[in-house]
Amino acid sequence: MNATGALGRYGEELAARLLADAGMTVLARNWRCGRAGEIDIVARDGDTVVVCEVKTRRAGGFEHPMAAVTPAKAGRLRHLAACWLERQGVPPAGGVRIDLIGIVLPPRGAPRIEHARGVA
């Protein structure tokens, strides 16, 4: 695995722990729907299915991770959420929500984690 892949996996691990600590149940990680793409984390928050996109960056010259979800990316996430629901067969009582977790890793100290709910 290259450095970028390792950084992404680390961020996804932090995000999964954040969701679990918030009382959510992680249902799947790195769930793929053919060529449509991948959902980083699928979780359940009460009766709601949560599709989570995780973006991790090192502090420095890169844009903030939250800026990486463009309108096109949001559209792909909505399509992936529909694929997930279709494969499950039963729609969740609480519907579906798309969240974004942005993680910035400073050179020293704890990661800065932001969880934005219902972004797309």
Side-chain angles (χ1 to χ4, degrees):
M1 179 180 298
N2 64 24
T4 302
L7 180 68
R9 294 282 179 205
Y10 176 65
E12 288 172 10
E13 186 61 37
L14 291 173
R17 278 192 255 151
L18 174 83
L19 296 174
D21 289 348
M24 296 185 205
T25 302
V26 174
L27 303 174
R29 290 179 61 178
N30 306 115
W31 184 83
R32 294 200 62 79
C33 181
R35 290 185 211 158
E38 177 182 282
I39 298 173
D40 294 329
I41 299 173
V42 180
R44 188 176 60 243
D45 185 9
D47 289 340
T48 303
V49 168
V50 180
V51 170
C52 266
E53 177 71 8
V54 180
K55 293 294 184 186
T56 308
R57 301 284 187 267
R58 294 192 185 283
F62 295 105
E63 68 183 357
H64 190 277
M66 299 297 218
V69 178
T70 63
K73 179 65 175 181
R76 281 194 299 278
L77 290 170
R78 286 189 294 275
H79 176 72
L80 287 164
C83 284
W84 168 266
L85 292 175
E86 182 180 309
R87 299 244 177 109
Q88 300 311 303
V90 179
V96 178
R97 184 177 80 223
I98 298 176
D99 290 4
L100 173 61
I101 297 177
I103 302 168
V104 176
L105 302 174
R108 287 197 264 198
R112 293 188 311 266
I113 304 172
E114 293 180 51
H115 181 185
R117 297 170 183 250
V119 297

